[in-house]
């Protein structure tokens, strides 16, 4: 039996998002980036245990060896679109779209603090096993590839990351420890998970009932967070929350789309939709103005391109559903792997690409094999996570916490 019509086309969008982030790192980063901290960098930072340390420096595959990079170069130079950013936008949008469902039961009656805590805890525990397994794998790769000591700071960072405390507390460098560099367990993609956890927190406690009014209030709160370190209280705490704010705006836009999905299209809905979109885009524009950011999240073309993808699959689902059903079993299986794949594809995938390319010397085949291997590892993580989530002990544990 297939899922509902809404879930069907969203799985296709998840798969597109997975493909885009894979392209961004395996092709674009692997071709252009000079270094990715704690993942791949210049040879002097690589463990001496490897006899041929040069293969772990970036770029992995010189652009003269393949032409795949020309696609994103064309999109970026032509319409200022980076595929990895579109992939993240799509997944954040879908997250906002779907998380309204988990909050439906709070739309009636009184919502007390116990119910709010139950909802927040339930959301975190749903993906905690995946986070834990990917963290173990990432830590193992860091210890093998890099000269990282298994000391108090390492294990403290591990605990902070595994318990999501790092979402709300600055990294351990706030202790002003000499010669200490914070551990980046997921090679620069940890921010993605932090945004999700932070959004679940504010959406649970700021507006426990999803409504258009609640979405607007939350947008105002995000603007407050973004401005707070600039106008009143500049420190590591407020800077961290200000960083999350624009990305939470994308998730909120997805929540708004879910709330208004069944409403008839009219002038009021159009005006409200444009207002929500403007508020989301305004968060990134204000962030760029305040922090001199240079990525393409603030570009209108990023969201128009994402919107076209969403509408395309929605129309297929509405008018040509049988086309989507043909590939749905495979698409559904791969779409489930987005989170473990995202958390592993940089810190595990790029070293794999480096090793495979060093052996094969065939760029396209090396990229395909590397992505497939990370998908296999992600599938194993997903299966183990499911075993944990469905176990009697874990269910008892989650019931006790929530």
């Amino acid at each position: 039996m297939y899922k509902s019509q809404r879930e069907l086309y969203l799985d296709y969008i998840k798969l597109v998002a997975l493909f885009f982030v894979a392209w961004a790192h395996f092709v674009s980063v692997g071709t252009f980036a000079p270094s990715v901290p704690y993942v791949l960098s210049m040879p002097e930072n690589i463990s001496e245990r490897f006899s041929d340390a040069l293969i772990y420096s970036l770029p992995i595959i010189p652009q003269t060896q393949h032409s795949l990079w020309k696609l994103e170069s064309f999109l970026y130079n032509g319409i200022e679109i980076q595929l990895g950013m579109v992939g993240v936008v799509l997944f954040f949008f879908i997250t906002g779209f779907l998380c309204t469902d988990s909050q439906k039961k709070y739309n009636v009656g009184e919502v007390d603090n116990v119910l709010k805590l139950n909802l927040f805890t339930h959301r975190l525990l749903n993906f905690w096993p995946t986070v834990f397994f990917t963290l173990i794998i990432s830590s193992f790769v860091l210890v093998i590839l890099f000269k990282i000591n298994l000391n108090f700071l390492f294990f403290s960072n591990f605990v902070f990351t595994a318990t999501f405390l790092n979402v709300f507390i600055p990294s351990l460098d706030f202790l002003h420890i000499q010669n200490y560099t914070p551990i980046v367990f997921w090679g620069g993609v940890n921010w993605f998970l932090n945004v999700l956890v932070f959004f679940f927190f504010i959406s649970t406690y700021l507006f426990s009932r999803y409504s258009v009014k609640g979405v607007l209030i939350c947008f105002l709160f995000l603007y407050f967070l973004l401005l707070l370190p600039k106008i009143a209280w500049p420190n590591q705490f407020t800077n961290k929350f200000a960083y999350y704010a624009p990305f939470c705006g994308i998730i909120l836009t997805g929540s708004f789309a879910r709330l208004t999905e069944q409403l008839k299209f009219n002038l009021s809905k159009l005006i409200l939709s444009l207002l929500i979109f403007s508020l989301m885009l305004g968060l990134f524009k204000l962030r760029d103005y305040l922090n001199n950011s240079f990525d393409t999240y603030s570009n209108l073309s990023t969201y128009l391109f994402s919107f076209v993808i969403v509408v395309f699959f929605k129309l297929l689902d509405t008018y040509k559903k049988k086309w989507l059903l043909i590939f749905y079993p495979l698409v559904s299986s791969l779409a489930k792997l987005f989170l473990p794949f995202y958390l592993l594809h940089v810190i595990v995938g790029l070293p794999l690409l480096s090793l495979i390319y060093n052996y094969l010397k065939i760029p396209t085949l090396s990229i395909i094999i590397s992505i497939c291997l990370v998908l296999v590892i992600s599938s194993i993580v997903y299966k183990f996570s499911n075993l944990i989530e469905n176990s009697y002990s874990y269910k008892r544990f989650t019931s006790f916490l929530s």
Side-chain angles (χ1 to χ4, degrees), residues 67-355:
S67 57
L68 295 175
W69 59 271
K70 291 183 179 179
L71 172 61
E72 190 156 10
S73 177
F74 168 77
L75 291 173
Y76 180 75
N77 292 320
I79 49 180
E80 296 186 319
I81 286 177
Q82 292 173 287
L83 293 180
M85 293 181 178
V86 174
V88 171
V89 167
L90 288 173
F91 187 79
F92 278 156
F93 179 86
I94 292 169
T95 298
F97 197 93
L98 293 176
C99 72
T100 56
D101 295 341
S102 65
Q103 212 151 334
K104 277 184 179 179
K105 62 182 178 180
Y106 299 97
N107 287 338
V108 294
E110 292 297 322
V111 183
D112 58 23
N113 288 328
V114 174
L115 288 176
K116 292 177 181 179
L117 179 61
N118 289 351
L119 175 61
F120 181 59
T121 306
H122 175 73
R123 284 172 166 172
L124 297 189
L125 292 176
N126 273 348
F127 59 78
W128 183 84
T130 299
V131 171
F132 183 73
F133 282 122
T134 53
L135 184 56
I136 290 290
I137 294 171
S138 300
S139 301
F140 177 77
V141 172
L142 285 172
V143 171
I144 293 297
L145 287 184
F146 294 86
K147 299 175 181 178
I148 293 179
N149 297 321
L150 297 177
N151 53 25
F152 168 77
L153 292 174
F154 181 90
F155 288 109
S156 297
N157 272 279
F158 184 96
V159 171
F160 270 50
T161 307
T163 57
F164 305 118
L165 287 174
N166 64 321
V167 177
F168 305 99
I169 300 175
S171 55
L172 289 182
D173 58 349
F174 79 97
L175 297 174
H176 304 295
I177 298 172
Q178 292 283 336
N179 301 319
Y180 166 63
T181 305
I183 303 299
V184 184
F185 279 104
W186 286 312
V189 299
N190 191 27
W191 69 272
F192 172 86
L193 186 66
N194 288 357
V195 169
L196 292 180
V197 174
F198 185 71
F199 177 80
F200 290 150
F201 178 79
I202 64 172
S203 66
T204 301
Y205 286 96
L206 188 64
F207 59 107
S208 52
R209 292 187 181 92
Y210 268 105
S211 65
V212 173
K213 180 181 178 181
V215 170
L216 290 172
I217 291 173
C218 198
F219 263 115
L220 294 178
F221 180 71
L222 293 178
Y223 273 92
F224 168 77
L225 288 180
L226 187 60
L227 290 169
L228 185 60
K230 298 295 181 181
I231 62 177
W233 195 25
N235 56 51
Q236 292 188 67
F237 289 89
T238 56
N239 285 331
K240 178 183 281 283
F241 301 150
Y243 178 80
Y244 299 149
F247 301 102
C248 288
I250 301 174
I251 305 177
L252 267 181
T253 305
S255 298
F256 170 79
R258 176 71 179 100
L259 287 168
T260 60
E261 184 185 28
Q262 304 302 325
L263 298 180
K264 291 184 64 175
F265 185 81
N266 53 36
L267 182 60
S268 297
K269 183 178 178 180
L270 175 62
I271 293 173
L272 192 56
S273 299
L274 291 175
L275 173 62
I276 295 295
F277 181 80
S278 299
L279 287 171
M280 183 272 296
L281 192 60
L283 281 169
F284 284 98
K285 294 293 186 183
L286 182 59
R287 179 207 62 165
D288 291 353
Y289 175 76
L290 295 174
N291 302 302
N292 297 317
S293 177
F294 295 103
D295 61 43
T296 63
Y297 279 115
S298 58
N299 291 350
L300 181 62
S301 52
T302 296
Y303 300 99
L304 291 179
F305 189 61
S306 303
F307 176 74
V308 168
I309 293 170
V310 172
V311 170
F312 172 75
F313 284 106
K314 175 63 176 176
L315 290 176
L316 278 182
D317 196 286
T318 303
Y319 298 106
K320 294 292 181 180
K321 192 175 202 174
K322 60 182 180 181
W323 291 3
L324 298 184
L325 290 173
I326 295 172
F327 301 104
Y328 185 70
L330 175 61
V331 170
S332 176
S333 299
L334 293 175
K336 293 173 182 176
L337 304 181
F338 184 92
L339 183 59
F341 180 87
Y342 191 90
L343 296 178
L344 291 172
H345 78 286
V346 174
I347 202 164
V348 174
L350 291 185
L352 278 175
L353 175 60
S354 186
L355 282 169

Side-chain angles (χ1 to χ4, degrees), residues 16-27:
V16 172
L18 187 151
F19 173 78
F20 281 173
V21 297
W23 187 282
H25 289 99
F26 285 89
V27 176

